[in-house]
Amino acid sequence: MSRMPESAQKHRRTPLFSAAVLKNWGAAVLGVAALCLFAGTASAQPSSPGGLPGTVGADVRLKLERDGKLTVTEVVSVPEGRTAKRVVPLRIAVSDTRDRVFEVDGASVSGKGTAEASGDQLTIALEAGTSTVTYSVVGAVAKIGDTLELRWQPASGWDTALDSVKVSVITPDAPRSVNCLAGPPGTSKPCTTADLGDGRGVRASEIGLPAGERVDVAVGLQEGAAPANARIEETSGLAAAFALTPVAGVGLGGLAVLLLGGVVLLWYLRGRDQRALASDVGPVNVLVTDPSGHVAFASPDGVLPGQVGTVVDEHVDVVDVTATIVDLAVRNYLWIEEVGGLDWRFVRRNPADPSLSGYERAVYSALLPDGVDAVLLSELRGKRIDLGRVRDELYADVVAKNWFARRPDAERSLWWWAGIGLALAGVALTVLLALVTGPALVGLVVVVAGVALALGARWMPARTRRGSVLLEHVRGLRGYLVSATPGDIPETDRELVFSRSLPYAVVLGETERWLGAFAGDRSGLYWFGEAEQAGDLRRFAHRFPAFLGALDGVLAQAGHLRSLRA
C-alpha cells in the first residue's frame, strides 16, 4: 500500500461518531452539569457588595456637583452577627505644618445604623444587613498647580477588613486623570484597578482592604468643572497662631466696632468745637460804657488771659503765664521797669488778694515769694521757679468755670496710660497664644486697640457746651484785637483799654498788630516804665517784644510747661 502524503494526513477528517469524539463530548457534558450545579448553589446565598458571603463589602458612588459639593453614597453590607464602624478623618495632613480640612453635612443612614459628623471626624456605625449611607462633602476640590483636582477617601477608618471596595465617580465634565491609592495612610500603593471607564466617569476597586487602611482617590478635572473649595489650615508654628480664624475674625470685627464707636464719640464731642471754629464770627463787643460815660474793656464770660490759652489749645503753656504776669502788672499788682536796656525788674505794688484766682496767686508767688518785693528778670534765670502749682491751679480753674468737665491733662494721661496698659496686655496675650498655638491674632488686635487709644489720648479732652461757646467768643475777641484802632476809644480811656487788652493780644498772638495800632499814641503807661515813671508808649512798643521774649525764655527753663507761643 502506498503511503499517504503528509499534507493529506494533516487534512484528513475524523469521523463524527468515532470513539474518541464520543469520549470528548461526554467530558464536556459532565463539566457543564457541574457548573450549573455550582451556579445554583451560589444563587441560593445572599448577595453583597463584597461579592462573597460572610464578608463586609462597600460600593461607594461619588458625584461632584457644579457648585463644588461632593455627594457621597456608600452601600455597605455587613454579615449577620457582625457590626462595622467607620471613623472618617476630616482633617488630613498634607505637610508637617498644614492640614487639609473637609466639611461634611447631611449625614444619614437608610438601614440599621447611624452617621454623625462632628468635630474633625465623620462616624458611621452599622449593624448586620445592607445599609445605604449618604452625606455631602465641601472642600474636596483643590487647585494643584495648573490642575483642578477632586480628592476623597471613599474607604478609610473601618474597624473591620473589607473584602472589596468598588468606587465610581461622576464629574460634571469628562475627567482628565485618576490616581487611586490603597493601604495604610501615607503609602503610595496603587489600587487593584482604576480607570476612566467610558470617559464620563471613573471606576476603581480594591480587593482585600485590611482594617484601618484607606482607599484614596484623586481625579483630575477639566478647568471650570467646579470651583476650588479646598481649605488648608496651619497646624503649628507662628503661621498657625496668626492665621485668620473665626475667633480672630470676631476680634477684628470687635476692634472695628470699638474704633468706630470712638470716632463717633470724638465726632460728637469735638463737633461743637469744629462748628465754633468754622462759623463766621464778627468782632465781639468787649468795650462797655459805664454810667459815667467811661469806656472799659470786658472779656467774654469773664475769661482771664491765662485761661484763654488753656481753653483754646487745652494745654497750659509758657505764653499763658507770660500773659498772666503782664495782666497782673496792668491790674496794679506789679510794676515792670526796664533796667539798663537789657534787663527788667518786677516790683511788688499790691499784695495778692482774694480777687485773684488760684492760678494768678500761684504765678504771683512764683515770681515774688513772701519777703521778696522786687526781683530782676536776669536773677530769675539762676533760680528754679516751680510752675507745677501754676499748671495745676490753671487746669482746676478751667474746670471750675465749667469750660471742661475734667482736667484736660488728667484726661489725656488717663487715656494714654489706659492705651499703654491695653497694648502691653495685648503683647502678653499674643505671646501666650502663640506659645500654645492659639489665635494669637486676637492678641495683636488688642495691641492695635491699645496703641490707637494711646495715640488718640491727645484728642480725648473735650470742652463742655459752655467751653465751645467761649471758644467762639474768643474768635470774636481776636477779631476785636485785629480791627480796633485808637479812634474807637475816647482819649481819656485809651491808656486803660489798651493796657487791659494787651494781655489778651499776647496770649492770642496779636501783640505785634496791637502795638502797631497804638504806637503813634503819645500817652504813657501807668504800669511799665523806668524807676516807676510812666513809660513812653512809642518806646514801649519798641522794647516790649524783647521783654516778652526774655520772659518766655526764663519761664521755659523752669520746665513743666510747653514753650510754644499760641
Side-chain angles (χ1 to χ4, degrees), residues 155-180:
S156 62
W158 285 105
D159 65 352
T160 184
L162 302 183
D163 179 68
S164 69
V165 179
K166 297 178 181 179
V167 181
S168 64
V169 185
I170 299 176
T171 57
D173 298 329
R176 300 174 60 180
S177 63
V178 59
N179 182 27
C180 182

Side-chain angles (χ1 to χ4, degrees), residues 57-372:
D59 186 353
V60 184
R61 304 157 195 168
L62 310 178
K63 182 180 180 182
L64 179 63
E65 308 292 345
R66 279 289 185 185
D67 61 1
K69 180 178 291 187
L70 179 66
T71 302
V72 182
T73 302
E74 299 184 13
V75 180
V76 183
S77 178
V78 180
E80 288 295 332
R82 296 179 58 184
T83 62
K85 182 177 180 180
R86 182 187 182 199
V87 178
V88 184
L90 301 181
R91 179 182 291 270
I92 300 175
V94 295
S95 71
D96 291 339
T97 60
R98 304 174 74 202
D99 283 352
R100 182 167 176 179
V101 181
F102 299 88
E103 298 178 17
V104 169
D105 58 15
S108 64
V109 175
S110 176
K112 295 181 180 180
T114 60
E116 180 183 6
S118 61
D120 291 336
Q121 65 184 30
L122 167 66
T123 303
I124 302 172
L126 303 177
E127 298 180 14
T130 300
S131 302
T132 302
V133 184
T134 58
Y135 54 89
S136 60
V137 181
V138 175
V141 181
K143 190 74 172 179
I144 310 297
D146 296 332
T147 304
L148 197 63
E149 181 185 82
L150 165 67
R151 184 175 182 182
W152 182 243
Q153 293 185 356
S156 62
W158 285 105
D159 65 352
T160 184
L162 302 183
D163 179 68
S164 69
V165 179
K166 297 178 181 179
V167 181
S168 64
V169 185
I170 299 176
T171 57
D173 298 329
R176 300 174 60 180
S177 63
V178 59
N179 182 27
C180 182
L181 304 176
T187 64
S188 57
K189 173 180 170 292
C191 297
T192 303
T193 64
D195 58 68
L196 296 179
D198 57 3
R200 299 184 59 185
V202 169
R203 292 187 179 90
S205 65
E206 175 65 14
I207 304 301
L209 185 70
E213 297 190 2
R214 96 308 187 204
V215 172
D216 194 335
V217 175
V219 179
L221 303 174
Q222 299 286 347
E223 188 67 29
N229 55 13
R231 181 158 62 94
I232 304 297
E233 290 187 0
E234 300 290 340
T235 58
S236 63
L238 292 179
F242 291 96
L244 183 58
T245 63
V247 175
V250 171
L252 290 173
L255 173 62
V257 172
L258 180 64
L259 293 179
L260 181 61
V263 170
V264 172
L265 179 61
L266 285 177
W267 173 83
Y268 172 75
L269 295 176
R270 290 290 187 175
R272 295 190 300 262
D273 298 342
Q274 294 301 321
R275 289 189 292 273
L277 292 173
S279 60
D280 294 330
V281 180
V284 175
N285 185 18
V286 296
L287 300 179
V288 296
T289 304
D290 61 20
S292 63
H294 289 289
V295 175
F297 172 86
S299 65
D301 203 12
V303 65
L304 297 169
Q307 295 168 341
V308 167
T310 305
V311 170
V312 168
D313 64 8
E314 303 165 351
H315 288 82
V316 175
D317 302 325
V318 165
V319 67
D320 303 334
V321 180
T322 299
T324 299
I325 292 174
V326 174
D327 191 49
L328 290 173
V330 168
R331 289 157 59 192
N332 275 323
Y333 289 95
L334 298 173
W335 168 268
I336 302 175
E337 64 179 6
E338 188 175 2
V339 179
L342 297 175
D343 204 354
W344 292 265
R345 178 182 289 112
F346 301 98
V347 181
R348 187 191 303 271
R349 268 194 167 179
N350 292 297
D353 55 38
S355 63
L356 293 180
S357 67
Y359 88 89
E360 288 178 316
R361 287 194 294 272
V363 172
Y364 194 62
S365 297
L367 190 65
L368 293 173
D370 292 340
V372 178

